[in-house]
Amino acid sequence: MRNSPILLALLLAGCATAPAYRRPAVDVPPSFREASRDSVVRDSAAKSATTSGTSPAPVSDGFWRELGDTTLSRLVDQAVRANFDLQAAEARLRGARAARAGAVFDFAPTVTFGGSYTRQRLSAASFPPIGAGATFPDQDIWDGGFDASWELDLFGRVRRNVQAQGAFVSVAREDLRDIRVSLIAELARSYFDLRGAQEQLAVAQRNADNQRRTRDLTRERLEAGQGTAFDTERAEAQLNLTLAIIPTLEGRVAAAEYQIGVLLGRPPASVAGELDVVAQLPAFPASVSVARPDSLVRARPDVAAAERLVAAQHALVGSAKADYLPRVSLGAGIGFTATRFDSLGDHGTFRYAVGPVISWPALNLGRVKAQVNAAQAREAEAQAQYSQAVLRALQDVETSLSRYRTAQARVGRIQDAASASERAAELARLRFTEGVADFLQVLDAERTLLDAQSQLSQARTDAATAYAALYKALGGSWPEPAGEGSGS
């Protein structure tokens, strides 16, 4: 029985011991399936954050710089400086750093200064009887001094809290990087959508001009007695159907401009004048090189943030387990207490107190166990979220590579079809003018041309937005292009 306290202490010490943190293992394939089809695969220098605090790969600006679009580069620079979501994330990072600094201060003593004034009258019942009706006079009590307390981190509670707060700083930093990557990708997507809508609008306007000339030709032939009113009405209908497309495309242009304005941290319509000048979509690389899955996925900010959250929750489990053991603190106080303010500091008014304080929830170990169980559940939740984040990252990269590859292939096919349709429309107009073919062939050729050119503009836009999505999927760690521009 005399050894029971020792055995209990050893048992509690074992319960309070937390194993060293090890990053959760995940099953990552050796290569991306889509990358092996037409993308050159290489192991890039992108690395993830590690438990030692190594910084992840920075967000690369090669994504838009290599396109040679100065307008897009300027918009990206403005967005990174002024976007409010990014500013909010920066504020959260500053808050996380401040919280960690506060946790570090727990290693040092807490020293406070206090001063007080009390006017009091003591009851005769507070002391042994000194006679019936005896009273004590009113008293003025002046007090001032310093009090200090210092918890000795014998079992790692404070250290674990500091580790957790440090991991939360990394989470906030990765969240900031994730928002920056998402912002750039969303801005690029909106910009490409704007240029694509402008291109489709130009296509519709060019076709409307051609169809207007065709309609005028049918009217001239009708007036000369060589045509029919039926041909004229069909030409008018074709023209109006093309003109009906224009308002929808103008709405897409305006919506993209407003979206870009908000992403830049400005009123929605503030950039409309700047972007009204029509420009073509830039040429994109035919293929890109991607890193191996194990290095690329861990470099993504969302995955890195999920891993750092696991580390934070693991440290909090250790902090919770430390409550199984006693807390040892040193307390001290020094100051002066006097009945008159002007006598503070005189001989006899000095006071001090110093000594250790030990607190142990011996009768509340069930509550401590519940807190430990809750912390362990949060760690398990964070581990599951990390594993899911890895799988989603793999899916995102595979899907983005597939969409970019198929979008590039689609552009090439439709480009050939549009060229053939343009030649067919020219031949149909010539044959109709010479009286070799009827007007139905002209209408059919023009309708096919408009559809092919519209599909080509949309395909180019889809390839551009797929490029922006690929940048986001790669987590901003953008490598150099592995092929020549596709001309899309």
Side-chain angles (χ1 to χ4, degrees):
M1 294 299 294
R2 289 181 299 176
N3 295 327
S4 297
I6 299 177
L7 293 176
L8 179 60
L10 292 174
L11 177 62
L12 293 176
C15 294
T17 301
Y21 172 73
R22 302 179 69 177
R23 184 163 52 191
V26 291
D27 185 14
V28 179
S31 63
F32 290 109
R33 176 177 179 270
E34 287 293 332
S36 63
R37 294 191 172 187
D38 63 350
S39 297
V40 179
V41 183
R42 68 179 176 86
D43 190 9
S44 73
K47 295 187 181 297
S48 64
T50 65
T51 56
S52 61
T54 302
S55 298
V59 176
S60 170
D61 62 358
F63 153 67
W64 66 89
R65 303 293 182 193
E66 69 186 24
L67 299 179
D69 192 317
T70 56
T71 301
L72 176 59
S73 297
R74 175 174 54 82
L75 293 176
V76 168
D77 291 339
Q78 292 178 8
V80 170
R81 289 196 305 267
N83 181 265
F84 290 112
D85 288 334
L86 205 57
Q87 293 177 10
E90 290 171 348
R92 287 193 293 272
L93 176 57
R94 292 195 298 270
R97 286 171 173 165
R100 183 187 182 280
V104 170
F105 278 118
D106 288 341
F107 282 118
T110 300
V111 181
T112 60
F113 171 80
S116 66
Y117 163 74
T118 304
R119 184 170 179 82
Q120 67 179 14
R121 174 183 294 178
L122 298 179
S123 168
S126 302
F127 295 91
I130 59 175
T135 60
F136 289 90
D138 293 344
Q139 283 185 317
D140 294 326
I141 304 297
W142 298 87
D143 184 82
F146 294 89
D147 294 303
S149 63
W150 181 24
E151 180 182 347
L152 303 179
D153 191 33
L154 301 179
F155 305 109
R157 187 188 69 85
V158 176
R159 176 171 52 85
R160 292 289 190 173
N161 279 335
V162 172
Q163 290 176 353
Q165 294 303 323
F168 283 132
V169 170
S170 297
V171 171
R173 185 185 301 112
E174 295 302 327
D175 286 343
L176 171 61
R177 194 163 65 96
D178 190 29
I179 290 175
R180 189 174 188 270
V181 170
S182 299
L183 168 64
I184 294 173
E186 180 63 20
L187 177 62
R189 187 201 64 78
S190 299
Y191 178 78
F192 295 150
D193 199 34
L194 167 68
R195 294 309 188 200
Q198 288 176 333
E199 183 176 316
Q200 289 181 269
L201 180 60
V203 167
Q205 290 171 339
R206 287 197 304 270
N207 278 275
D209 291 339
N210 290 335
Q211 292 167 7
R212 192 176 287 110
R213 286 192 292 269
T214 301
R215 180 203 60 186
D216 294 342
L217 177 61
T218 60
R219 287 178 177 176
E220 293 173 2
R221 290 172 61 87
L222 178 63
E223 292 171 359
Q226 299 176 348
T228 65
F230 183 58
D231 290 341
T232 302
E233 292 301 326
R234 286 191 298 182
E236 186 72 33
Q238 179 82 340
L239 172 61
N240 284 316
L241 287 174
T242 301
L243 292 175
I245 300 174
I246 293 177
T248 301
L249 295 174
E250 290 175 339
R252 278 184 55 189
V253 169
E257 289 177 337
Y258 298 153
Q259 174 72 1
I260 291 173
V262 172
L263 292 174
L264 297 182
R266 293 158 58 181
S270 63
V271 300
E274 303 176 23
L275 300 177
D276 281 343
V277 179
V278 179
Q280 291 186 343
L281 286 165
F284 298 94
S287 60
V288 296
S289 59
V290 295
R292 286 166 39 189
D294 56 349
S295 59
L296 190 150
V297 170
R298 293 185 189 279
R300 277 180 46 130
D302 56 337
V303 177
E307 184 274 325
R308 290 286 82 201
L309 183 60
V310 175
Q313 297 298 345
H314 181 81
L316 290 177
V317 170
S319 177
K321 285 185 174 182
D323 284 338
Y324 278 123
L325 299 172
R327 293 189 187 183
V328 180
S329 302
L330 296 179
I334 185 173
F336 298 90
T337 302
T339 57
R340 296 197 321 272
F341 178 75
D342 56 4
S343 64
L344 281 175
D346 291 351
H347 179 71
T349 64
F350 176 73
R351 61 170 176 79
Y352 77 91
V354 62
V357 177
I358 300 177
S359 60
W360 181 37
L363 301 180
N364 291 298
L365 293 181
R367 182 173 298 175
V368 174
K369 185 176 186 300
Q371 293 173 347
V372 171
N373 290 342
Q376 290 173 333
R378 288 190 292 268
E379 182 185 11
E381 177 187 2
Q383 288 176 339
Q385 290 174 341
Y386 171 71
S387 299
Q388 186 68 13
V390 171
L391 294 179
R392 286 175 178 168
L394 292 171
Q395 176 195 10
D396 198 9
V397 174
E398 294 280 20
T399 302
S400 298
L401 286 172
S402 174
R403 286 178 177 173
Y404 186 63
R405 174 179 58 81
T406 55
Q408 292 284 66
R410 184 168 179 264
V411 168
R413 295 294 187 184
I414 297 179
Q415 199 160 24
D416 293 339
S419 299
S421 298
E422 188 172 4
R423 292 191 297 269
E426 290 292 337
L427 289 173
R429 293 190 195 98
L430 180 61
R431 288 166 59 85
F432 173 70
T433 303
E434 295 177 351
V436 179
D438 62 11
F439 188 63
L440 183 61
Q441 292 182 0
V442 176
L443 289 179
D444 184 64
E446 288 185 343
R447 185 166 48 248
T448 302
L449 175 60
L450 174 60
D451 182 61
Q453 290 179 336
S454 296
Q455 286 193 45
L456 178 59
S457 296
Q458 186 60 53
R460 286 174 172 167
T461 305
D462 293 342
T465 55
Y467 188 76
L470 181 57
Y471 165 80
K472 183 178 179 181
L474 297 179
S477 302
W478 193 255
E480 294 299 321
E484 299 297 328
S486 65
S488 64

